[in-house]
Structures are given as C-alpha cells and as structure tokens.
Amino acid sequence: MEEQAEMVGRAFVDHYYHLFDTERASLSSLYQPTSMLSFEGQKIFGVDDITSKLNQLPFDQCKHLISTVDSQPSSPTGGIVVFVSGSLQLPGEEHHLRFSQMFHLIPTPQGSFFLQNDIFRLNYG
C-alpha cells in the first residue's frame, strides 16, 4: 500500500506541475466541486474558483523544480497525502522562490484520483 502511494504520488506530482507549467487551464480536470485550495492563506472552494485563482496568478510562465516528494496512504478507501518541496523559477528572475505544497488525492470510481485538498505556501527566509 505504501509503495503504491509513493508511485501514485510521484506520478501525480509530475503530471500536476507539467500542466501548471505548460497548460495551466487544464488543471481544472484535477479538481472537483468539493475541492479546496489554500493559497498563501487564502481559502478557495470549488473547481471554478480554484481554476480562476490559478489562471489569474501574476505570471504566465514558470518552471517548478521539485526537490522532494513524500507520500502516505491517508485512508482505507485509498486516499493519498502528498507533500512537495521545491522551487519556482519565474522568467527574468535571478532567484528562485522556494515553496511547499500538500495534495490530498481521493480515488474516483473510474480508477483515477482527484484533488480534494491543495495547500500551497511560499517559503521565505
């Protein structure tokens, strides 16, 4: 179970940041109406508002550089908690922004996962 959580977590992280960096609008497919995003302390609910927030960030292009991915099974029903640390490279910026992000993945009846909870923070200092 733990090994599967690691595999799914890593595959999800690769997929999520690829979409974020190349086709951000496509991230909407990963969320559901019950999904929640905490972005720098701002709480956002539902796929439409989450997608709107992510698409209105003050940069169009970026590149996520992932340092660590830790995953754990979260429930007997197959949920997975994923914690990511890394840095964000913005065009024209010399210094990368360090960040941490937590995902709570919930299995769907179709055999995939959706993002129930997503918490993002920049790491200052």
Side-chain angles (χ1 to χ4, degrees):
M1 181 81 135
E2 190 172 321
E3 191 174 305
Q4 182 183 2
E6 289 287 339
M7 280 183 13
V8 170
R10 184 69 213 200
F12 176 82
V13 164
D14 291 346
H15 181 63
Y16 179 90
Y17 292 114
H18 173 75
L19 288 179
F20 196 107
D21 295 351
T22 62
E23 328 173 31
R24 198 174 308 162
S26 298
L27 288 172
S28 63
S29 66
L30 302 178
Y31 296 93
Q32 296 285 317
T34 60
S35 297
M36 295 175 270
L37 167 67
S38 292
F39 189 90
E40 288 292 299
Q42 179 187 8
K43 292 184 177 24
I44 303 154
F45 300 93
V47 65
D48 293 336
D49 289 345
I50 292 170
T51 302
S52 178
K53 173 65 178 177
L54 296 176
N55 287 322
Q56 291 175 5
L57 292 173
F59 51 87
D60 290 330
Q61 296 180 341
C62 66
K63 179 164 178 56
H64 288 84
L65 305 168
I66 305 307
S67 301
T68 63
V69 177
D70 296 296
S71 303
Q72 295 180 351
S74 67
S75 70
T77 58
I80 300 171
V81 174
V82 184
F83 183 78
V84 180
S85 67
S87 60
L88 183 59
Q89 182 178 8
L90 300 176
E93 294 291 327
E94 182 180 341
H95 300 288
H96 296 188
L97 301 170
R98 290 184 303 192
F99 74 92
S100 297
Q101 193 158 12
M102 188 282 301
F103 302 112
H104 185 201
L105 307 177
I106 301 295
T108 66
Q110 296 79 22
S112 61
F113 290 85
F114 78 92
L115 253 173
Q116 176 63 39
N117 304 90
D118 180 352
I119 301 172
F120 176 89
R121 280 283 183 179
L122 290 171
N123 300 329
Y124 298 103

